[in-house]
């Protein structure tokens, strides 16, 4: 399994926990508009959960500029994560 796919799966698990919804299925085109409860508070929760899960420091300004989950996966991939 590719590292990008592993990142996407971990992100999906994070989203399922934050939004308390096991039916969430992320793909590279998923946006905040696709998830009803994805607001600014949950955005902060997502960033904090990603920092913990992936052991990285994320810049909220960068994250807020992402258009979709694919950009988030690419950004995390560029951090040379230890998977």
């Amino acid at each position: 399994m590719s590292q990008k796919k592993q990142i996407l799966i971990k992100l999906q698990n994070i989203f399922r926990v934050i939004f308390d919804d096991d039916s969430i299925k992320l793909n590279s085109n998923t946006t905040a508009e696709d998830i009803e409860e994805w607001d600014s508070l949950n955005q902060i929760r997502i960033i904090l959960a990603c920092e913990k899960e992936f052991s990285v420091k994320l810049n909220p300004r960068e994250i807020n500029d992402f258009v979709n989950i694919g950009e988030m996966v690419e950004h995390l991939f560029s951090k040379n994560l230890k998977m």
Side-chain angles (χ1 to χ4, degrees):
M1 180 182 314
S2 74
Q3 188 175 16
K4 288 181 184 180
K5 180 69 174 168
Q6 290 175 331
I7 292 169
L8 182 62
I9 289 169
K10 286 186 175 199
L11 279 175
Q12 182 170 277
N13 290 336
I14 288 168
F15 275 66
R16 286 177 174 181
V17 169
I18 288 173
F19 296 104
D20 193 27
D21 183 352
D22 288 339
S23 70
I24 290 176
K25 296 213 185 308
L26 297 182
N27 64 57
S28 59
N29 296 316
T30 303
T31 68
E33 294 169 6
D34 297 321
I35 300 175
E36 186 177 327
E37 311 240 338
W38 191 345
D39 56 18
S40 56
L41 179 58
N42 281 324
Q43 178 78 359
I44 293 167
R45 290 182 174 140
I46 291 165
I47 293 168
L48 293 173
C50 286
E51 288 181 335
K52 183 176 180 184
E53 177 68 32
F54 297 106
S55 300
V56 294
K57 183 71 179 137
L58 300 172
N59 180 335
R61 285 193 184 104
E62 289 177 342
I63 304 297
N64 290 337
D65 288 340
F66 294 161
V67 173
N68 56 35
I69 292 295
E71 288 187 17
M72 184 179 276
V73 169
E74 288 296 327
H75 183 72
L76 289 166
F77 180 74
S78 74
K79 299 282 189 185
N80 295 316
L81 304 172
K82 308 282 186 279
M83 301 292 285

